[in-house]
Amino acid sequence: MKAFSYHKIIKASTEHLSEVREFVSMHAGLHGFNDKEIADIRLAVDEACTNIIKHAYKYDPSKEIGIVITVDDEKFMIVITDQGEPFDKKKYQKPSLKKQIAQKKRGGMGVHLMRKLMDEVRYSKTDNLNTLCMCKNRIES
Amino acid sequence: MKTFNISHRTHNGLEVLELQGELDAHTASRLEETLKELIRSNKGRIIVNFSELEYIASAGLGVFMAYIEDVRSTGGDIKLTNMNDKVYNVFDLLGFPTLYDIFPDESEAVEKFFDDNP
């Protein structure tokens, strides 16, 4: 099976989010994913990068985020890496909108959205590197 | 970089914010400032018209989460209208339709404000 791969590195600043969205949308479109799938991928990647900028790097724009797309006949896979504070899966709780509103809190919605939008979401951590891998399956596969 | 703009008009004593472009973690602070300014000026009857908004991320929804209680506690509300399907889908995935008034058209939000509090 033939696979295509595309890379991008951005500085960890929210001003680069639109650039990341365009990068993933363009490749998903060129590889035949439909509008709904492109919208899902675009939002999931935006949420992932936003979380890294905010939580892993605490808005330090000198840090970097790596993005690698691999596309084949079955799926669109995005691997996003950073070297910041790792995401603590154990502390994560599915957010309750009602509670958040009552407490005037925002946020905590990104991970929940990523899991709803993508077919697979996996985190891993090695010494210094956090890796998030997300996949969107092709409907026809 | 994609643009994000807010235009503000007043319609029958209601504050209408028209959003245009892409609302993400980078542009959400501008919406937040606008909402805070309205709340500070006791203008709590707010309609947000999304007809020209192409994209929203959860940071954009977070702004509505953070201020809705303040607005409702003064007898106002933030009603959301004219979303395209993709934008509505994000609100829907996060459960907003049960806690916020979301209408297909701005005129329905106007009507609801006057029905609830003529």
Side-chain angles (χ1 to χ4, degrees):
Chain A
M1 194 191 312
K2 201 170 177 184
F4 298 84
S5 198
Y6 310 94
H7 306 242
K8 188 174 188 69
I9 292 173
I10 59 152
K11 290 283 183 194
S13 162
T14 55
E15 69 183 292
H16 298 297
L17 289 170
S18 63
E19 200 181 315
V20 174
R21 293 196 297 268
E22 275 170 37
F23 174 68
V24 293
S25 302
M26 179 185 76
H27 290 299
L30 288 172
H31 284 278
F33 286 83
N34 66 34
D35 283 355
K36 168 78 168 63
E37 291 164 334
I38 296 170
D40 290 353
I41 293 168
R42 179 175 64 165
L43 180 57
V45 172
D46 179 323
E47 297 292 343
C49 292
T50 298
N51 278 350
I52 292 169
I53 293 166
K54 202 171 155 185
H55 302 294
Y57 287 142
K58 302 191 167 49
Y59 297 101
D60 178 350
S62 68
K63 305 291 186 187
E64 288 180 338
I65 301 173
I67 299 152
V68 179
I69 297 170
T70 307
V71 200
D72 61 27
D73 293 344
E74 291 177 354
K75 62 182 184 293
F76 190 95
M77 181 170 83
I78 309 118
V79 174
I80 303 175
T81 50
D82 70 81
Q83 294 178 296
E85 286 282 313
F87 170 64
D88 190 348
K89 272 189 282 189
K90 285 183 212 127
K91 280 191 188 160
Y92 174 75
Q93 280 187 322
K94 193 180 155 196
S96 153
L97 182 63
K98 210 172 176 175
K99 272 192 205 159
Q100 303 258 98
I101 288 173
Q103 295 165 2
K104 297 179 189 177
K105 275 192 185 165
R106 69 185 85 188
M109 299 289 182
V111 174
H112 180 59
L113 270 181
M114 281 148 56
R115 289 179 178 169
K116 287 214 168 196
L117 296 166
M118 301 300 277
D119 294 305
E120 197 181 328
V121 178
R122 277 182 288 131
Y123 291 91
S124 58
K125 181 169 85 86
T126 53
D127 293 344
N128 210 357
L129 194 72
N130 305 312
T131 304
L132 168 66
C133 176
M134 300 192 286
C135 294
K136 189 80 172 171
N137 298 332
R138 286 190 195 271
I139 288 173
E140 59 269 60
S141 65
Chain B
M1 203 191 305
K2 284 282 171 69
T3 53
F4 172 69
N5 286 306
I6 305 170
S7 51
H8 176 204
R9 60 186 159 83
T10 305
H11 175 77
N12 289 342
L14 304 172
E15 309 304 319
V16 182
L17 300 180
E18 290 177 357
L19 309 187
Q20 186 245 321
E22 301 196 339
L23 180 55
D24 64 6
H26 192 62
T27 55
S29 57
R30 296 193 13 228
L31 175 63
E32 178 160 7
E33 284 310 311
T34 307
L35 275 181
K36 270 159 77 176
E37 187 53 45
L38 288 177
I39 294 166
R40 262 199 299 269
S41 325
N42 290 321
K43 294 174 174 171
R45 284 152 66 90
I46 301 164
I47 295 173
V48 183
N49 185 319
F50 288 74
S51 65
E52 301 293 318
L53 194 83
E54 294 157 25
Y55 174 81
I56 193 162
S58 68
L61 279 73
V63 178
F64 298 110
M65 290 162 61
Y67 294 100
I68 192 76
E69 281 293 296
D70 289 343
V71 170
R72 285 181 181 160
S73 68
T74 61
D77 196 19
I78 304 174
K79 299 191 194 296
L80 314 173
T81 77
N82 298 76
M83 291 179 190
N84 73 32
D85 290 348
K86 288 195 185 96
V87 169
Y88 179 80
N89 185 44
V90 187
F91 281 91
D92 194 30
L93 283 173
L94 294 179
F96 272 63
T98 54
L99 297 167
Y100 290 75
D101 280 339
I102 303 179
F103 297 103
D105 194 75
E106 189 185 310
S107 59
E108 296 163 75
V110 174
E111 223 169 277
K112 184 76 164 54
F113 266 117
F114 288 106
D115 284 351
D116 289 349
N117 191 1

